[in-house]
Amino acid sequence: MMPQFNVMENYLVPRHSIMSEEEVDELLKEYGIVKGKLPLILMADPCAKALAAQPGQVIKIERESPTAGASNYYRLVVEEKTGL
Amino acid sequence: MVSYQYIPKKIGKIQFALISPEEVRKMSATKIITADTYDDDGFPIDMGLMDPRLGVIEPGLKCKTCGKKVDECPGHFGHIDLAMPVIHEGYTKLIKEMLSATCRTCGRVKLPEERVKQYMERINNIDTISLKPFQYLSLSGSIRHEAVKVTQCPHPDCGEMSKAITLDKPTTYREEGHKLTPKEIRERLERIPSEQLLLIGLNPAVARPEWMILTSLPVPPVTVRPSITLESGDRSEDDLTHKLVDVLRINQRLQENRDSGAPQLIVEDLWELLQYHITTYFDNQTSGIPPARHRSGRPLKTLAQRLKGKEGRFRSNLSGKRVNFSARTVISPDPYISINEVGVPMPIALELTVPMRVNEFNFEQAKGFVERGHNIHPGANYIIRPDGQRLRLTERNKETLLEKLQVGYIVERHIMDGDIVLFNRQPSLHRMSMMAHEVRVMDGKTFRLNLPDCPPYNADFDGDEMNLHCLQGEEARAEAKIIMRVQEHILSPRFGGPVIGAIHDHISGNFMLTHHNPLFPKEEAYHILSRTSFKGKLLEPDIVDENGKEYWGGKTIFSHILPPGLHMEYPSAVYTGDGDVEEEDSLVKIFPDDDGRSRLVTGPIDEMSIGAFKGKLLEKIVRDYGSDAGREFLDDATRIGITAITLMGFSTGIDEEDIPEEAKLRIRDTLVEAEAKVDDYVKKFNSGYLEPLPGRSLKETLEVEAMRTLGRARDMAGQIASKYLGLKNSAVIMARSGARGSMLNLSQMSGCIGQQAVRGERIQRGYQGRTLPHFKQMDLGAAAKGFVKSCYKSGLNPTEYFFHSMGGREGLVDTAVRTSRSGYMQRRLINALEDLKVLPDRTVRNTSGTIVQFKYGEDGVDPTRSARSDPIDYEDIIRTAMREVA
Ligand SMILES: [Mg+2]
Ligand SMILES: [Zn+2]
Ligand SMILES: [Zn+2]
């Protein structure tokens, strides 16, 4: 077995967390959108894997920003690549 | 003209599918059997490629199918029944996958029953609306791949072993070496059961796999491939017609040979030839086969060539179109028009028009335009009746039309001073490449452009041409004026500073006017200010001499065009930080006087104040006082600069780079010393005494040391030379104030040009261990590796000249390569990002509403409204407050 490596511990990887249903509802209400209009993240993404995220869940990414201090990003977990 | 505007139907969706041979025949107006087009009398032959049932192209004739006239008849397809089936070039990959994924005898997908069931369930369960097509695509792809890998038919009633199928480009299939004919392939595809098509990527409701093998070929209507009659009276046919003639000829011969029982070899040859013609009919650039050519040797433009690439239908007719109400000509400069204006030559002003709806208030004015007609300037070219009929104004009919003119008509009047037009220079790389200008009608034949507008368009006057578009609607004009006008684009969204600003002589002029504050008598001060928009009370003169004669300092003159209440302090372009700031007069300070009028207290006005890209003063005025004030200030500042430089006189010549003999000797000594030092390194290198730098080989160490020594020597030479080049020198004024050129340019003219480099290294290339036959083999010294000791003024010796050309050539090649590469990159970026926009809630979304950024640029800040990446300029606020308290 290879030594386990957790990407989330690397300082360059921003904090990822799975949002609760209520948080997601609030987020969608804030932006007036449905889930499908969120940016996506693959289930196979190292961070999504580390969180054991399931399709349909939303991952919150808290990034540090040189201009804004901190900024949040949200991605919908999907199973497969869907883009062109 | 037919009006389509009331057709009450909307396209709900478009479905792409395969076309079946039956459908081809059903939609066909006629079968085409003969390769001849016209008979001896010039009439189209029935069932030929120009059959009148395929539509009309000659005016006056009626269509035999639908009975309509030219332009009303849409044209009708015909068809050719192929003697033998032929592979469609566009589906070769899919055909191969379908053959490999299914059993060669029973035709079923090579997956066990339960696998099929599982997959069908998954396909039926794909439900997320927006993701459906993509998910299905990737799923059916992976099913195909799984089935391809199976080596034996898993169905118990068959169990046939698979054979590997290979595709020989472009259209030959082999099964373990044995060639498969299109007929065999078609038979195999026919065996694939419809219920299983969904698994491997086809919708059985609209497609069957065997339709990828053609048995009948649609013939496009003549309207798609019109023949043209040349001046000589000869008919010239479209490339598509030529290709179809080839297809028909071979098809006919193939049929005859097959029916008469000709040897198999001949039939196969003809069959392959038919395949070739049909393949090139679809795409004449199919890889693996030679393109079909015209008799002249020109490759034919067939179906794919009509659509593909830059000259194809999409990029040149649909994404981009030719437009009316536009003009193009050479540009030339005019420093006395506003940055908001564009000079339009009279011949163009007589051609471009703006529609003007006639009402009771402008009736007299409209009459005036019509009365003057089409070739007296503010005239008109057309009037449009309320029923939509356009009438051209001519010398003869203008009186009658004038009588007819009444309220409700539209007059297409010439463009006039003050009209809003769009002005553009390609390549349009950013939004400032297309801005709205106000028209100024002028003599001459060129567009006139004020010089501060050159940087955003990247224009110069060495023959550049620009395009002008005349807006046709009130709404368009209003919108352009509010958001596209030049003055609204002074600050760039790229870096927040000005892209539109003073250049060249504007900067030299302002610098000479303000540096060390020269004095001007009343007449001259008035003269300079008379070119600006300044109105009001003049500032007090700096000096009144014993005779009572008044003198104004340059700084005071400049202060007149500043808006009130400015607090600023910043280093100018000539600021070095190591000299005496007072004596150098290089720190700019602008403060309001007791009356609140801004005064330039110290420092010169140069690139750092008003220049494009760097002008802090201009930036502050636009930001704090608005774009109107910014435009007015820039117009005034550039005019002051031009007037001052004309008044004071300014010229430069090669003798400005003269330096005294003593300086030349010192430079020579420095260079000789450096050369000796390099020779020393070379000696050490050759004898093995050279100490390698960490992480470098001996050779690299030598190169680094040589480059550094010679680089330093060049800088030294430059410093020695520039000691003799003071601010009295015009070339130095231009370089130091940021108007044009750099001190490096000057030191290369009078000091030393320095090391020439190719790929960042000293010149290495050559034969037999040397760069040129003028040197000994293995010479690693300065001169042999491209160090140019001479200056441009004294001239280069032949070897230096050669090395200099090598470096120069690399520069040219790099720019050429860079522009083409960045152009392509730009295209890809634009295609990916063109539909993104910032919404009022500051999210960035695309047209389908998908969020791309939750806050524009993470922080929601517009760079044109922020202070160098900060939303608020704290420093400026504090400085202003401190001054006000003091
Ligand atoms: Mg040019
Ligand atoms: Zn017709
Ligand atoms: Zn089978």
Side-chain angles (χ1 to χ4, degrees), chain B residues 158-362:
Chain B
C158 174
E160 174 79 34
M161 293 304 290
S162 304
K163 290 183 176 178
I165 290 181
T166 51
L167 170 62
D168 259 355
K169 283 262 164 102
T171 46
T172 314
Y173 291 91
R174 284 179 211 282
E175 191 180 53
E176 290 179 353
H178 164 74
K179 210 170 128 186
L180 291 174
T181 64
K183 204 169 151 199
E184 287 170 291
I185 295 170
R186 196 164 201 278
E187 279 159 7
R188 283 196 193 182
L189 295 174
E190 275 169 1
R191 282 200 290 271
I192 303 176
S194 285
E195 318 81 79
Q196 293 199 332
L197 285 181
L198 214 47
L199 288 172
I200 49 175
L202 280 183
N203 178 1
V206 295
R208 279 291 315 172
E210 65 267 23
W211 296 345
M212 296 187 288
I213 315 287
L214 301 165
T215 54
S216 68
L217 184 72
V219 174
V222 281
T223 40
V224 170
R225 42 185 181 90
S227 57
I228 27 173
T229 318
L230 299 172
E231 284 163 51
S232 56
D234 294 340
R235 265 226 173 78
S236 172
E237 296 299 337
D238 191 274
D239 282 6
L240 280 187
T241 310
H242 280 301
K243 207 60 235 179
L244 286 166
V245 167
D246 293 339
V247 171
L248 277 166
R249 268 208 200 109
I250 303 305
N251 193 42
Q252 217 163 20
R253 272 176 58 198
L254 179 61
Q255 186 153 22
E256 285 161 14
N257 276 285
R258 193 197 54 190
D259 293 350
S260 65
Q264 191 60 26
L265 218 63
I266 293 181
V267 174
E268 260 169 38
D269 273 359
L270 283 169
W271 195 358
E272 240 160 66
L273 193 55
L274 182 67
Q275 176 74 61
Y276 167 80
H277 282 309
I278 289 183
T279 302
T280 50
Y281 167 71
F282 285 118
D283 183 355
N284 202 13
Q285 281 168 347
T286 315
S287 59
I289 49 169
R293 286 172 192 281
H294 209 249
R295 251 166 302 163
S296 62
R298 167 182 68 85
L300 291 171
K301 257 189 126 185
T302 53
L303 285 174
Q305 278 66 53
R306 285 191 175 196
L307 311 175
K308 256 193 210 159
K310 206 185 201 154
E311 263 95 65
R313 203 94 316 146
F314 293 103
R315 278 179 73 182
S316 117
N317 302 108
L318 291 162
S319 302
K321 286 192 172 77
R322 290 173 173 270
V323 291
N324 290 325
F325 304 105
S326 63
R328 179 185 176 94
T329 184
V330 175
I331 51 166
S332 47
D334 186 338
Y336 291 115
I337 61 176
S338 165
I339 56 164
N340 271 343
E341 293 178 313
V342 58
V344 177
M346 184 58 82
I348 285 175
L350 288 174
E351 203 64 51
L352 292 179
T353 58
V354 168
M356 169 188 174
R357 185 155 240 124
V358 180
N359 56 43
E360 53 189 299
F361 305 105
N362 65 14

Side-chain angles (χ1 to χ4, degrees), chain A residues 31 33 37-39 63 65 67-68 71-74 78 80 82-84, chain B residues 122 131 134-135 138 841 843 845 848-854 857-859:
Chain A
Y31 290 103
I33 52 171
K37 302 294 179 189
L38 286 171
R63 298 175 179 157
S65 158
T67 53
S71 86
N72 294 335
Y73 205 78
Y74 310 90
V78 291
E80 276 172 288
T82 55
L84 284 169
Chain B
R122 270 183 72 186
L131 304 180
F134 304 120
Q135 278 193 344
S138 71
D841 68 355
T843 55
R845 307 188 189 198
S848 65
T850 304
I851 292 187
V852 176
Q853 284 186 341
F854 289 89
E858 279 187 349
D859 53 13

Side-chain angles (χ1 to χ4, degrees), chain B residues 353-540:
Chain B
T353 58
V354 168
M356 169 188 174
R357 185 155 240 124
V358 180
N359 56 43
E360 53 189 299
F361 305 105
N362 65 14
F363 187 65
E364 286 307 314
Q365 205 188 358
K367 259 166 78 178
F369 290 125
V370 177
E371 202 168 358
R372 281 184 293 274
H374 67 99
N375 54 20
I376 297 173
H377 176 55
N381 286 346
Y382 284 95
I383 64 173
I384 301 167
R385 291 201 312 232
D387 64 0
Q389 186 63 243
R390 289 165 75 90
L391 304 168
R392 196 182 168 88
L393 273 178
T394 59
E395 233 17 80
R396 271 189 289 154
N397 71 1
K398 75 180 181 193
E399 267 88 42
T400 34
L401 289 183
L402 186 62
E403 277 164 36
K404 274 196 196 159
L405 190 71
Q406 50 181 293
V407 172
Y409 274 52
I410 293 169
V411 173
E412 291 201 329
R413 53 149 256 253
H414 294 149
I415 51 167
M416 292 171 11
D417 287 6
D419 280 340
I420 297 288
V421 293
L422 299 187
F423 203 40
N424 161 236
R425 180 180 177 276
Q426 283 100 351
S428 315
L429 295 177
H430 54 192
R431 69 178 200 206
M432 291 81 78
S433 287
M434 194 173 226
M435 294 188 286
H437 288 247
E438 284 160 26
V439 168
R440 274 277 286 268
V441 179
M442 298 181 163
D443 283 345
K445 290 186 173 171
T446 57
F447 286 135
R448 249 54 62 82
L449 172 68
N450 196 357
L451 292 116
D453 295 342
C454 288
Y457 289 120
N458 192 21
D460 50 36
F461 305 105
D462 60 3
D464 291 26
E465 292 179 51
M466 284 181 68
N467 302 325
L468 182 138
H469 298 269
C470 203
L471 299 171
Q472 297 295 301
E474 302 294 347
E475 198 181 359
R477 277 193 292 272
E479 196 169 77
K481 189 162 183 173
I482 293 166
I483 63 187
M484 292 183 76
R485 208 143 68 123
V486 177
Q487 68 177 45
E488 311 301 333
H489 293 265
I490 297 176
L491 297 185
S492 160
R494 176 153 56 93
F495 55 92
V499 257
I500 297 171
I503 55 171
H504 305 169
D505 279 7
H506 302 146
I507 292 170
S508 311
N510 276 290
F511 182 79
M512 292 203 299
L513 179 74
T514 50
H515 194 228
H516 287 312
N517 206 23
L519 294 174
F520 296 87
K522 192 173 180 177
E523 314 78 67
E524 287 181 3
Y526 276 30
H527 172 64
I528 294 171
L529 281 175
S530 71
R531 296 281 176 83
T532 71
S533 63
F534 175 76
K535 282 190 190 82
K537 196 165 162 279
L538 235 55
L539 292 163
E540 292 299 312

Side-chain angles (χ1 to χ4, degrees), chain B residues 103-108 153-155 158-160:
Chain B
C103 172
R104 57 192 298 266
T105 45
C106 74
R108 281 170 287 186
C153 177
H155 298 278
C158 174
E160 174 79 34

Side-chain angles (χ1 to χ4, degrees), chain B residues 534-554:
Chain B
F534 175 76
K535 282 190 190 82
K537 196 165 162 279
L538 235 55
L539 292 163
E540 292 299 312
D542 288 38
I543 287 175
V544 182
D545 70 7
E546 58 273 20
N547 306 322
K549 203 165 174 211
E550 298 166 323
Y551 291 91
W552 277 266

